[in-house]
Amino acid sequence: MTTNYPLVDEKVLLPTQASGRLIRRHRRDLAEIPVPRAHEILVFRLGGSYVADSGRRSGDDPLLCDATSVTVVDTSAGVPVTVEVDVPSAEAEPFTLNVTFACTVTDPVAVVRAGLRDLPGVLLTRVRALPGLTETSGRYRLTQSHDLARALTARLTAYTEMEDAGLYGVTLGSVAVTVLSPEAVAELQRKQDEERRTMEAARELRDVKLAHDVLQAELKEMEQKLRRQEQAQEHLTRTQQRRFGYAEAEEDQVHAQTLAAEQAHFDREQATEEARAIDGNPLAADQMARARGEISSDEVAGRLRNDVSAQRERQYVVEDKEFEQDRIEAQLTREETREEKRHQQRLEQEKHQNTRELEAQKRRETREDAKAAAEEKRRDRELQRQRDHETRKALIARGHFDDQYIPAEALLTREPAAPDSALSPADDAAELEPGDKGQAAHPAGKPGDEENGRGPGPAGETSADGLGDLIAADDLGDVGEEERAR
């Protein structure tokens, strides 16, 4: 049977208090309003009226401030609600009917106004009010429960469709009737009890398994942690041993110590088993054997003397082993110290050798850098001479020196040595016209122009900036002549 349906929750809202300094207004804390789910709706009560709302309002909304209560209504479609009722049969035992209705809230306000908190009770009254219910069930025997279920399902479906308006905003859909005989009821109860016990046992078993799995996981994690720690410790030990060259000796020593410890452990276990067999008291065992007549007193005394002598021998052997172990450890310590000193000496020698190699490498790199810089400066000077030569050739070709006499030696003073780009004095004389040989040279620049790159250079040479100014002036002169021609 479904509980809290269709009224899921109901809450009384206290009156709100006005707040604010300049403008006082009422406001309700949204925490007081229940949050509806997707299939639920809120119904607020304001005095004697009810208002349905989706819950998407602010705290200062008049509906929230003036409401005195709020109810959450479930509007899910086809919610099954089951009622149980006993009806007479054609025999002494009655039938038990389980009637399931598919309910849907169509008017939340009507449901809240009617206070429909006990919907199963209303439906039970509806089933009992079915006309001819007892007469119909009284015509069937207990073995005819299926026929009775079909007949009552048809009658209840028709009755529900005709009387649907009496449920205060709830619409009834399909109706399903199940008829249980007394044996079936008892069997169902037994099955339910068995299923409950099975579920409880399964739940307990699952809890035990879960706890076991948790403990196993924790144990596995601890084992992995211990294994990692052991591996890290072993790796560190091996690294140190390899660093000083004692790995093999250390492993042999550890192996020998392990064998000795296992042998000692085996001897102790054997002695413990023998002592446990005679209750841990050999003297008592000998006395018991003497009392039974198995041995004499002289034999007991001889065994005691032998035991004392054997104990002393064992003590001597243990002392000899301890002395030998101390001697081996002292020898290993001395060898380790000597090896460490030799290792430090080798490190110092390697450090000095590396320092000398680095200094030699730096000197070689410095010489190579100086040689590369000198070569680059030589190439720059060669390129500059080539550019100056090309500029002078361009100026001569454009006629800048037609009215001046410039010796060929002055033009060829700083020309590059390449045979294909140099001009001989004979070529310069051939290119100049006969009327230009006797004319005066171009006036020299002002003092200081040679340093600024604007005046003539050494031996009558014009700098790159000065030649650029001459070319620009020549271009402007050509433009002026074209303007005068127009």
Side-chain angles (χ1 to χ4, degrees):
M1 183 179 295
T2 304
T3 59
N4 295 334
Y5 179 81
L7 302 182
V8 179
D9 190 13
E10 185 175 4
K11 187 175 183 180
V12 178
L13 301 178
L14 300 178
T16 58
Q17 301 293 332
S19 62
R21 295 183 179 180
L22 300 178
I23 301 176
R24 299 180 61 82
R25 61 176 62 182
H26 291 267
R27 184 178 183 84
R28 184 177 296 281
D29 187 3
L30 294 180
E32 301 180 15
I33 308 301
V35 179
R37 292 178 291 181
H39 59 278
E40 297 174 350
I41 193 171
L42 300 179
V43 178
F44 294 90
R45 179 176 181 179
L46 291 84
S49 62
Y50 296 86
V51 177
D53 186 78
S54 61
R56 299 179 180 177
R57 294 179 179 269
S58 58
D60 56 354
D61 189 273
L63 175 62
L64 300 184
C65 296
D66 299 338
T68 58
S69 66
V70 59
T71 305
V72 182
V73 182
D74 189 352
T75 59
S76 302
V79 178
V81 179
T82 304
V83 296
E84 184 176 310
V85 60
D86 293 336
V87 294
S89 65
E91 300 178 0
E93 295 291 337
F95 287 109
T96 299
L97 302 182
N98 281 346
V99 185
T100 302
F101 295 89
C103 303
T104 303
V105 175
T106 56
D107 190 355
V109 174
V111 172
V112 176
R113 182 182 289 110
L116 197 59
R117 297 181 179 85
D118 188 13
L119 181 58
V122 176
L123 295 177
L124 180 60
T125 304
R126 174 66 60 89
V127 173
R128 288 176 177 173
L130 177 66
L133 176 63
T134 56
E135 292 80 359
T136 302
S137 63
R139 294 195 296 267
Y140 293 90
R141 296 181 178 275
L142 295 177
T143 57
Q144 299 175 330
S145 58
H146 296 290
D147 298 335
L148 177 62
R150 287 194 296 270
L152 291 181
T153 299
R155 291 178 63 86
L156 281 173
T157 301
Y159 181 68
T160 300
E161 293 177 354
M162 291 186 298
E163 300 293 335
D164 191 13
L167 284 182
Y168 315 105
V170 179
T171 301
L172 301 180
S174 60
V175 180
V177 179
T178 304
V179 180
L180 300 178
S181 61
E183 293 82 6
V185 174
E187 183 65 22
L188 179 61
Q189 187 65 31
R190 285 194 296 271
K191 288 183 179 180
Q192 291 178 352
D193 294 341
E194 184 178 356
E195 290 178 357
R196 187 182 66 255
R197 288 192 295 270
T198 302
M199 292 177 62
E200 291 177 355
R203 188 183 301 108
E204 293 178 356
L205 180 61
R206 186 171 60 254
D207 295 340
V208 172
K209 288 183 177 180
L210 180 60
H212 180 265
D213 294 340
V214 171
L215 292 176
Q216 289 292 333
E218 292 178 355
L219 179 60
K220 186 176 180 180
E221 184 178 0
M222 292 178 63
E223 291 178 353
Q224 292 178 354
K225 184 177 180 181
L226 291 175
R227 191 179 299 110
R228 287 194 298 269
Q229 291 179 356
E230 292 176 357
Q231 292 176 356
Q233 184 65 29
E234 183 179 359
H235 177 71
L236 179 61
T237 303
R238 290 181 177 178
T239 302
Q240 293 177 353
Q241 291 174 353
R242 286 194 298 270
R243 182 182 302 172
F244 298 106
Y246 297 131
E248 185 175 359
E250 187 71 14
E251 290 178 358
D252 294 338
Q253 183 180 358
V254 171
H255 182 67
Q257 292 177 354
T258 303
L259 292 178
E262 292 178 354
Q263 183 64 33
H265 180 72
F266 178 76
D267 294 340
R268 288 195 298 271
E269 290 292 333
Q270 289 295 109
T272 302
E273 291 295 333
E274 293 175 358
R276 187 180 295 111
I278 58 175
D279 198 13
N281 192 347
L283 182 59
D286 293 340
Q287 292 294 338
M288 186 180 297
R290 186 184 63 80
R292 290 196 300 266
E294 297 177 357
I295 58 176
S296 62
S297 301
D298 295 336
E299 293 178 350
V300 172
R303 290 183 180 182
L304 182 59
R305 286 192 297 271
N306 294 334
D307 290 341
V308 173
S309 178
Q311 184 175 3
R312 289 178 180 175
E313 290 294 334
R314 287 194 298 271
Q315 185 176 1
Y316 294 154
V317 171
V318 170
E319 291 177 355
D320 292 341
K321 288 183 178 180
E322 291 179 353
F323 177 77
E324 182 66 19
Q325 184 67 23
D326 293 339
R327 186 185 64 78
I328 293 174
E329 290 180 356
Q331 183 178 359
L332 291 176
T333 302
R334 290 192 298 272
E335 293 179 357
E336 182 178 354
T337 303
R338 288 194 295 269
E339 181 64 25
E340 184 175 0
K341 290 181 180 180
R342 288 193 294 269
H343 181 67
Q344 292 294 336
Q345 292 175 358
R346 287 195 299 270
L347 290 179
E348 292 294 335
Q349 293 175 0
E350 292 176 357
K351 182 176 179 182
H352 292 322
Q353 181 66 23
N354 293 333
T355 302
R356 288 194 296 271
E357 292 179 356
L358 288 176
E359 291 177 354
Q361 180 68 21
K362 288 181 179 179
R363 288 194 297 271
R364 288 194 298 271
E365 291 177 354
T366 302
R367 288 194 298 271
E368 292 176 358
D369 293 342
K371 186 183 296 183
E375 181 65 22
E376 185 176 359
K377 289 181 179 180
R378 188 190 63 78
R379 288 196 301 268
D380 291 343
R381 288 195 300 270
E382 188 70 22
L383 181 61
Q384 184 63 34
R385 286 195 296 270
Q386 180 71 19
R387 290 175 180 173
D388 294 344
H389 177 69
E390 295 295 335
T391 303
R392 288 192 293 271
K393 288 177 63 178
L395 291 174
I396 293 172
R398 295 169 69 96
H400 281 283
F401 302 108
D402 290 347
D403 56 349
Q404 301 176 6
Y405 174 75
I406 300 175
E409 291 80 2
L411 295 174
L412 300 176
T413 300
R414 299 180 62 185
E415 292 179 355
D420 56 348
S421 61
L423 291 176
S424 64
D427 295 335
D428 291 341
E431 291 181 359
L432 294 176
E433 295 181 359
D436 298 336
K437 293 180 180 180
Q439 296 181 1
H442 191 275
K446 295 183 294 182
D449 292 342
E450 180 179 353
E451 297 178 357
N452 298 329
R454 294 191 297 271
E461 181 184 356
T462 304
S463 65
D465 294 340
L467 295 177
D469 295 339
L470 292 174
I471 294 173
D474 180 66
D475 294 338
L476 293 176
D478 294 341
V479 173
E481 291 179 359
E482 292 177 359
E483 292 295 332
R484 287 194 298 271
R486 291 178 184 176

mmCIF file of all heavy atoms in Angstrom, residues 336-355:
data_model
loop_
_atom_site.group_PDB
_atom_site.id
_atom_site.type_symbol
_atom_site.label_atom_id
_atom_site.label_comp_id
_atom_site.label_asym_id
_atom_site.label_seq_id
_atom_site.Cartn_x
_atom_site.Cartn_y
_atom_site.Cartn_z
ATOM 1 N N GLU A 336 87.335 -1.158 3.853
ATOM 2 C CA GLU A 336 86.387 -0.123 3.382
ATOM 3 C C GLU A 336 87.007 1.260 3.507
ATOM 4 O O GLU A 336 86.860 2.107 2.625
ATOM 5 C CB GLU A 336 85.095 -0.206 4.200
ATOM 6 C CG GLU A 336 84.045 0.794 3.763
ATOM 7 C CD GLU A 336 82.775 0.646 4.555
ATOM 8 O OE1 GLU A 336 82.684 -0.305 5.357
ATOM 9 O OE2 GLU A 336 81.880 1.474 4.377
ATOM 10 N N THR A 337 87.714 1.519 4.603
ATOM 11 C CA THR A 337 88.352 2.825 4.786
ATOM 12 C C THR A 337 89.419 3.059 3.721
ATOM 13 O O THR A 337 89.506 4.145 3.134
ATOM 14 C CB THR A 337 88.972 2.892 6.181
ATOM 15 O OG1 THR A 337 87.961 2.648 7.168
ATOM 16 C CG2 THR A 337 89.580 4.276 6.431
ATOM 17 N N ARG A 338 90.274 2.023 3.473
ATOM 18 C CA ARG A 338 91.298 2.182 2.444
ATOM 19 C C ARG A 338 90.688 2.391 1.058
ATOM 20 O O ARG A 338 91.159 3.227 0.278
ATOM 21 C CB ARG A 338 92.208 0.940 2.446
ATOM 22 C CG ARG A 338 93.136 0.853 3.652
ATOM 23 C CD ARG A 338 94.223 -0.175 3.419
ATOM 24 N NE ARG A 338 93.682 -1.524 3.303
ATOM 25 C CZ ARG A 338 93.519 -2.363 4.304
ATOM 26 N NH1 ARG A 338 93.852 -1.987 5.542
ATOM 27 N NH2 ARG A 338 93.018 -3.567 4.111
ATOM 28 N N GLU A 339 89.612 1.676 0.742
ATOM 29 C CA GLU A 339 88.970 1.824 -0.563
ATOM 30 C C GLU A 339 88.353 3.212 -0.710
ATOM 31 O O GLU A 339 88.396 3.811 -1.788
ATOM 32 C CB GLU A 339 87.891 0.745 -0.732
ATOM 33 C CG GLU A 339 87.170 0.782 -2.069
ATOM 34 C CD GLU A 339 88.106 0.499 -3.224
ATOM 35 O OE1 GLU A 339 89.157 -0.170 -3.003
ATOM 36 O OE2 GLU A 339 87.800 0.944 -4.347
ATOM 37 N N GLU A 340 87.816 3.725 0.370
ATOM 38 C CA GLU A 340 87.220 5.067 0.309
ATOM 39 C C GLU A 340 88.314 6.119 0.051
ATOM 40 O O GLU A 340 88.109 7.058 -0.723
ATOM 41 C CB GLU A 340 86.494 5.363 1.617
ATOM 42 C CG GLU A 340 85.751 6.704 1.591
ATOM 43 C CD GLU A 340 84.941 6.900 2.849
ATOM 44 O OE1 GLU A 340 84.956 5.996 3.721
ATOM 45 O OE2 GLU A 340 84.312 7.954 2.970
ATOM 46 N N LYS A 341 89.473 5.966 0.685
ATOM 47 C CA LYS A 341 90.571 6.910 0.438
ATOM 48 C C LYS A 341 91.033 6.842 -1.019
ATOM 49 O O LYS A 341 91.257 7.876 -1.660
ATOM 50 C CB LYS A 341 91.738 6.596 1.378
ATOM 51 C CG LYS A 341 91.449 6.931 2.840
ATOM 52 C CD LYS A 341 92.654 6.618 3.705
ATOM 53 C CE LYS A 341 92.390 6.957 5.177
ATOM 54 N NZ LYS A 341 93.549 6.652 6.046
ATOM 55 N N ARG A 342 91.187 5.601 -1.546
ATOM 56 C CA ARG A 342 91.581 5.473 -2.954
ATOM 57 C C ARG A 342 90.549 6.090 -3.884
ATOM 58 O O ARG A 342 90.885 6.719 -4.884
ATOM 59 C CB ARG A 342 91.794 3.985 -3.289
ATOM 60 C CG ARG A 342 93.051 3.394 -2.676
ATOM 61 C CD ARG A 342 93.370 2.044 -3.304
ATOM 62 N NE ARG A 342 92.359 1.047 -3.001
ATOM 63 C CZ ARG A 342 92.374 0.231 -1.964
ATOM 64 N NH1 ARG A 342 93.389 0.304 -1.079
ATOM 65 N NH2 ARG A 342 91.433 -0.654 -1.768
ATOM 66 N N HIS A 343 89.272 5.922 -3.540
ATOM 67 C CA HIS A 343 88.204 6.501 -4.369
ATOM 68 C C HIS A 343 88.272 8.028 -4.357
ATOM 69 O O HIS A 343 88.111 8.669 -5.410
ATOM 70 C CB HIS A 343 86.844 6.024 -3.842
ATOM 71 C CG HIS A 343 85.692 6.543 -4.632
ATOM 72 N ND1 HIS A 343 85.435 6.174 -5.939
ATOM 73 C CD2 HIS A 343 84.714 7.429 -4.290
ATOM 74 C CE1 HIS A 343 84.371 6.801 -6.369
ATOM 75 N NE2 HIS A 343 83.905 7.572 -5.387
ATOM 76 N N GLN A 344 88.535 8.629 -3.211
ATOM 77 C CA GLN A 344 88.668 10.082 -3.126
ATOM 78 C C GLN A 344 89.851 10.572 -3.952
ATOM 79 O O GLN A 344 89.789 11.613 -4.625
ATOM 80 C CB GLN A 344 88.828 10.506 -1.657
ATOM 81 C CG GLN A 344 87.593 10.290 -0.805
ATOM 82 C CD GLN A 344 86.445 11.185 -1.236
ATOM 83 O OE1 GLN A 344 86.660 12.233 -1.840
ATOM 84 N NE2 GLN A 344 85.226 10.767 -0.931
ATOM 85 N N GLN A 345 90.978 9.826 -3.907
ATOM 86 C CA GLN A 345 92.138 10.225 -4.708
ATOM 87 C C GLN A 345 91.825 10.178 -6.197
ATOM 88 O O GLN A 345 92.192 11.072 -6.955
ATOM 89 C CB GLN A 345 93.317 9.306 -4.383
ATOM 90 C CG GLN A 345 93.860 9.496 -2.958
ATOM 91 C CD GLN A 345 94.946 8.485 -2.627
ATOM 92 O OE1 GLN A 345 95.277 7.611 -3.443
ATOM 93 N NE2 GLN A 345 95.517 8.591 -1.417
ATOM 94 N N ARG A 346 91.130 9.113 -6.632
ATOM 95 C CA ARG A 346 90.754 9.031 -8.052
ATOM 96 C C ARG A 346 89.844 10.187 -8.448
ATOM 97 O O ARG A 346 89.963 10.749 -9.545
ATOM 98 C CB ARG A 346 90.066 7.687 -8.329
ATOM 99 C CG ARG A 346 91.005 6.499 -8.333
ATOM 100 C CD ARG A 346 90.340 5.296 -8.965
ATOM 101 N NE ARG A 346 89.148 4.884 -8.225
ATOM 102 C CZ ARG A 346 89.147 4.016 -7.248
ATOM 103 N NH1 ARG A 346 90.304 3.471 -6.855
ATOM 104 N NH2 ARG A 346 88.032 3.668 -6.645
ATOM 105 N N LEU A 347 88.911 10.562 -7.580
ATOM 106 C CA LEU A 347 88.018 11.683 -7.877
ATOM 107 C C LEU A 347 88.801 12.982 -8.028
ATOM 108 O O LEU A 347 88.513 13.805 -8.919
ATOM 109 C CB LEU A 347 86.960 11.821 -6.777
ATOM 110 C CG LEU A 347 85.908 10.722 -6.707
ATOM 111 C CD1 LEU A 347 84.949 10.976 -5.549
ATOM 112 C CD2 LEU A 347 85.125 10.630 -8.014
ATOM 113 N N GLU A 348 89.795 13.214 -7.136
ATOM 114 C CA GLU A 348 90.596 14.423 -7.238
ATOM 115 C C GLU A 348 91.379 14.454 -8.549
ATOM 116 O O GLU A 348 91.478 15.490 -9.217
ATOM 117 C CB GLU A 348 91.562 14.507 -6.042
ATOM 118 C CG GLU A 348 90.875 14.739 -4.698
ATOM 119 C CD GLU A 348 90.218 16.110 -4.652
ATOM 120 O OE1 GLU A 348 90.672 17.007 -5.380
ATOM 121 O OE2 GLU A 348 89.255 16.267 -3.873
ATOM 122 N N GLN A 349 91.989 13.310 -8.928
ATOM 123 C CA GLN A 349 92.731 13.267 -10.186
ATOM 124 C C GLN A 349 91.831 13.537 -11.385
ATOM 125 O O GLN A 349 92.183 14.290 -12.300
ATOM 126 C CB GLN A 349 93.402 11.892 -10.324
ATOM 127 C CG GLN A 349 94.504 11.638 -9.291
ATOM 128 C CD GLN A 349 95.052 10.229 -9.392
ATOM 129 O OE1 GLN A 349 94.606 9.438 -10.226
ATOM 130 N NE2 GLN A 349 96.036 9.913 -8.537
ATOM 131 N N GLU A 350 90.639 12.937 -11.379
ATOM 132 C CA GLU A 350 89.710 13.178 -12.492
ATOM 133 C C GLU A 350 89.278 14.633 -12.530
ATOM 134 O O GLU A 350 89.107 15.214 -13.607
ATOM 135 C CB GLU A 350 88.482 12.271 -12.343
ATOM 136 C CG GLU A 350 88.803 10.799 -12.546
ATOM 137 C CD GLU A 350 87.581 9.943 -12.305
ATOM 138 O OE1 GLU A 350 86.527 10.513 -11.936
ATOM 139 O OE2 GLU A 350 87.668 8.703 -12.464
ATOM 140 N N LYS A 351 89.101 15.251 -11.376
ATOM 141 C CA LYS A 351 88.702 16.657 -11.335
ATOM 142 C C LYS A 351 89.795 17.542 -11.946
ATOM 143 O O LYS A 351 89.510 18.446 -12.753
ATOM 144 C CB LYS A 351 88.429 17.065 -9.886
ATOM 145 C CG LYS A 351 87.962 18.498 -9.729
ATOM 146 C CD LYS A 351 87.633 18.786 -8.275
ATOM 147 C CE LYS A 351 87.178 20.237 -8.113
ATOM 148 N NZ LYS A 351 86.891 20.546 -6.696
ATOM 149 N N HIS A 352 91.067 17.308 -11.578
ATOM 150 C CA HIS A 352 92.164 18.102 -12.147
ATOM 151 C C HIS A 352 92.258 17.903 -13.658
ATOM 152 O O HIS A 352 92.459 18.856 -14.421
ATOM 153 C CB HIS A 352 93.481 17.703 -11.485
ATOM 154 C CG HIS A 352 93.545 18.106 -10.025
ATOM 155 N ND1 HIS A 352 93.019 19.285 -9.544
ATOM 156 C CD2 HIS A 352 94.064 17.460 -8.929
ATOM 157 C CE1 HIS A 352 93.221 19.365 -8.252
ATOM 158 N NE2 HIS A 352 93.837 18.258 -7.834
ATOM 159 N N GLN A 353 92.114 16.633 -14.100
ATOM 160 C CA GLN A 353 92.191 16.359 -15.532
ATOM 161 C C GLN A 353 91.077 17.075 -16.286
ATOM 162 O O GLN A 353 91.284 17.662 -17.349
ATOM 163 C CB GLN A 353 92.096 14.837 -15.756
ATOM 164 C CG GLN A 353 92.187 14.418 -17.227
ATOM 165 C CD GLN A 353 93.556 14.709 -17.813
ATOM 166 O OE1 GLN A 353 94.533 14.816 -17.081
ATOM 167 N NE2 GLN A 353 93.637 14.839 -19.126
ATOM 168 N N ASN A 354 89.879 17.065 -15.737
ATOM 169 C CA ASN A 354 88.743 17.755 -16.390
ATOM 170 C C ASN A 354 88.976 19.259 -16.441
ATOM 171 O O ASN A 354 88.616 19.929 -17.417
ATOM 172 C CB ASN A 354 87.443 17.446 -15.646
ATOM 173 C CG ASN A 354 87.052 16.001 -15.770
ATOM 174 O OD1 ASN A 354 87.421 15.343 -16.755
ATOM 175 N ND2 ASN A 354 86.307 15.485 -14.797
ATOM 176 N N THR A 355 89.569 19.810 -15.381
ATOM 177 C CA THR A 355 89.825 21.261 -15.362
ATOM 178 C C THR A 355 90.812 21.638 -16.454
ATOM 179 O O THR A 355 90.633 22.625 -17.179
ATOM 180 C CB THR A 355 90.380 21.663 -13.992
ATOM 181 O OG1 THR A 355 89.428 21.278 -12.981
ATOM 182 C CG2 THR A 355 90.595 23.163 -13.923
#
